Amino acid sequence: MTTDTVLSKTAFEERFFDFDFTDDLDDGETIQSSPEPVISATPVGLTIDPPTISGGRVQAKFKAGTAPTTYHVTCQVVTSTQKREVCGDLEVLDC
């Protein structure tokens, strides 16, 4: 598991964020599209669009949220050889 600080946004903004697994993947290991990566956030209130995969990265659009709140965000993927997870914090700020 890798823990990173994810970027911040305001409640109004809709922003794309990447979860980078590149440094964690072994040679030849790839992120699988089925099952789809799972991105979750706590507490509730943040809207997350379905993710896309590009190489060793997973990207999703984050919307809404309540300011000021720090959301703990987790991205879980199944790779060609194992399961991996990246976690971080996303701050929803007042403008």
Side-chain angles (χ1 to χ4, degrees):
M1 175 178 77
T2 302
T3 303
D4 294 314
T5 299
V6 183
L7 298 176
S8 59
K9 64 180 246 21
T10 66
F12 174 77
E13 291 179 305
E14 297 181 356
R15 304 247 339 245
F16 285 99
F17 294 111
D18 290 342
F19 297 89
D20 191 355
F21 290 86
T22 306
D23 291 340
D24 298 325
L25 298 175
D26 296 329
D27 288 341
E29 184 180 8
T30 58
I31 297 173
Q32 304 298 295
S33 59
S34 180
E36 183 177 87
V38 175
I39 301 174
S40 60
T42 55
V44 297
L46 197 58
T47 302
I48 306 167
D49 283 354
T52 58
I53 301 167
S54 178
R57 296 174 187 253
V58 175
Q59 183 182 74
K61 184 188 280 186
F62 288 76
K63 307 176 200 176
T66 303
T69 302
T70 299
Y71 293 87
H72 185 70
V73 179
T74 302
C75 179
Q76 299 171 325
V77 298
V78 175
T79 73
S80 52
T81 60
Q82 56 195 314
K83 295 179 180 181
R84 295 194 179 267
E85 183 174 64
V86 172
C87 304
D89 291 328
L90 182 137
E91 296 179 347
V92 176
L93 307 170
D94 289 317
C95 184

